[in-house]
Amino acid sequence: MKKQFFHVCANGADARNFIICQADYYAAFNLIAVCAANTQVVVVSFSIEDSHPHFLLWGTEEACLRFKILYERLYTHHAAATRKGGSELVLRCELYPIGDDQDYLLNVAVYTVIQATKDGKAVMPYDYPWGTGCLVFRKGFYVLPWLFDAQGNICRPVPFGSLGARARRKLLHTREWTIPDNWLVCNGLILPTNYVDVARFESIYGTHNRFRVFLSSPKQREEAMLAKMAEQRGVMFEDQEARTLCGDTCKQMFGTRDPRRLDGPKRIKLAQQLRRQYKLSFRQLATLVRLPETEVRAYVR
C-alpha cells in the first residue's frame, strides 16, 4: 500500500475530559511512544491538549489506522484504571489522509505543533512540553524542555532497558506492549527524540522562514483546512436514525433490513451507497455494516 501523510485527531467536544490531571499528560505522552514502537508508522509531529490529541503520521493507511486504534484503546484503558468510579472518557480519533494536497499538508503540519498557543495558553510551541514544537528548525545548542525536573535542574536521560521492571511499567502505562531498550527516558517521559522524524517535518517547509510564515496560521487558511477535514470525516447521524437509514437502504438493495445477512462484498456495496447518499463517517459505516473500519476505508471513498 502507498505511504502518505495522515492527520489524526479527536473531537474536542467528545473527549473534553481527555486530560483531567498531570498524570494523564504523562500517560497520553508516553503512549504515543508505545504506539510508535509497535506499529509500522512514523510519527512526524504531535501535540496533546486538555481535550484532545493531534498527530501527523507517515505510513500506509492500514498502519496509521492501527496506530489510531491502539492509542485509543491504551489511553481509554489508562483512564478507566486510574479515574475514580471508572472512566466516562469518549476518545474517538479520526484519520484524515492528506494525499497530494500540498497546501493541506503545510497547514496541518503546523496545526499539530501550535495547538497550545492557538488555544490561548501562554506558551510558545518551542516551550510547550506536551508537543514536538521544540524539536523542529532548531540549530546549535539548546536544552529540550523534557530534561528539566520540577526544580529546574537539567537531568541526564537514561536508556529504558536500564530501568527496573516497576519503573518500566510505570512509564509504559500498559503491561501488553513495550519499547526498545535503547530508547532514552527522562523525568518520567519517553523522549520523542527516539521516534519523531524531525527531518521529515522540516522537509515539508524547507526553510526556517517558510515555517515562520505558516506559524502565523491566518484564520482563512485554518478554516480551509477544517473544511477539508469535515468533508473527509463525513456526517455523524444519531445512532437510531443511522440504523433506520441503513435498514431502508439495505432493504431497497438486497431485500433485507439486516446487514448481517449479507456477505462481505454486499456489505461493502451497502457501505458505498450509504457514504454516497448520506456522507456517513467511516466509523459509523463500519458499525452499521458490521465490518472492520480498515475494510470500509479500503473500499469506500
Side-chain angles (χ1 to χ4, degrees):
M1 292 180 66
K2 176 185 175 183
K3 291 184 178 181
Q4 61 173 308
F5 287 103
F6 288 88
H7 179 204
V8 177
C9 67
N11 186 327
D14 289 341
R16 56 189 176 277
N17 57 344
F18 175 59
I19 301 290
I20 63 172
C21 64
Q22 190 74 355
D24 284 350
Y25 273 112
Y26 280 81
F29 192 94
N30 286 344
L31 286 173
I32 299 172
V34 173
C35 294
N38 292 281
T39 59
Q40 299 298 314
V41 165
V42 173
V43 178
V44 182
S45 60
F46 70 82
S47 65
I48 298 168
E49 294 303 303
D50 301 355
S51 59
H52 61 292
H54 277 275
F55 310 98
L56 180 62
L57 308 178
W58 169 264
T60 65
E61 185 167 13
E62 183 179 358
C64 291
L65 186 58
R66 284 200 301 270
F67 180 101
K68 175 189 87 76
I69 292 171
L70 181 60
Y71 188 81
E72 290 171 337
R73 180 164 68 83
L74 292 179
Y75 188 79
T76 301
H77 178 78
H78 155 78
T82 58
R83 298 182 184 182
K84 187 176 180 181
S87 170
E88 296 180 357
L89 173 68
V90 177
L91 181 59
R92 295 172 179 168
C93 295
E94 295 290 343
L95 183 71
Y96 302 104
I98 295 174
D100 298 324
D101 191 334
Q102 186 65 18
D103 288 339
Y104 185 27
L105 176 60
L106 288 163
N107 289 322
V108 166
V110 76
Y111 193 76
T112 61
V113 299
I114 65 169
Q115 279 293 297
T117 303
K118 187 184 75 66
D119 290 348
K121 290 184 174 68
V123 62
M124 294 300 289
Y126 42 78
D127 289 325
Y128 187 59
W130 308 114
T132 57
C134 62
L135 293 176
V136 300
F137 290 99
R138 304 294 296 272
K139 301 297 179 185
F141 297 102
Y142 58 92
V143 180
L144 297 169
W146 310 302
L147 304 188
F148 291 100
D149 65 15
Q151 290 72 44
N153 302 307
I154 300 176
C155 302
R156 183 182 296 274
V158 299
F160 175 76
S162 69
L163 302 176
R166 181 177 298 181
R168 291 199 298 269
R169 286 197 301 270
K170 185 177 180 181
L171 274 171
L172 295 174
H173 298 277
T174 175
R175 294 175 181 271
E176 186 180 357
W177 304 90
T178 189
I179 62 172
D181 284 346
N182 64 342
W183 281 18
L184 297 178
V185 302
C186 191
N187 293 316
L189 296 172
I190 304 168
L191 298 180
T193 47
N194 294 299
Y195 60 89
V196 170
D197 191 342
V198 176
R200 192 178 297 274
F201 182 96
E202 293 180 346
S203 71
I204 295 170
Y205 299 95
T207 67
H208 290 66
N209 191 48
R210 197 177 191 203
F211 178 61
R212 176 194 61 78
V213 169
F214 277 85
L215 273 176
S216 63
S217 189
K219 187 175 181 180
Q220 183 179 5
R221 207 155 56 206
E222 184 178 317
E223 286 176 348
M225 181 193 68
L226 293 175
K228 178 127 187 194
M229 288 168 57
E231 178 186 344
Q232 292 180 348
R233 181 174 63 244
V235 178
M236 282 289 292
F237 284 82
E238 291 290 335
D239 289 343
Q240 183 56 51
E241 185 177 4
R243 283 194 293 269
T244 299
L245 292 172
C246 180
D248 291 345
T249 305
C250 191
K251 177 71 172 178
Q252 292 169 6
M253 293 178 69
F254 304 109
T256 176
R257 299 188 63 84
D258 188 355
R260 290 173 295 186
R261 297 190 176 188
L262 306 179
D263 60 20
K266 288 181 179 178
R267 293 187 193 193
I268 290 295
K269 288 181 180 179
L270 175 59
Q272 290 170 337
Q273 180 61 28
L274 290 169
R275 177 73 174 182
R276 186 162 49 244
Q277 189 168 352
Y278 301 109
K279 306 299 183 185
L280 293 180
S281 71
F282 291 110
R283 181 188 293 275
Q284 198 160 44
L285 286 172
T287 301
L288 291 170
V289 302
R290 309 299 181 94
L291 286 174
E293 190 177 341
T294 51
E295 292 297 303
V296 173
R297 286 181 175 273
Y299 297 105
V300 179
R301 289 291 179 263

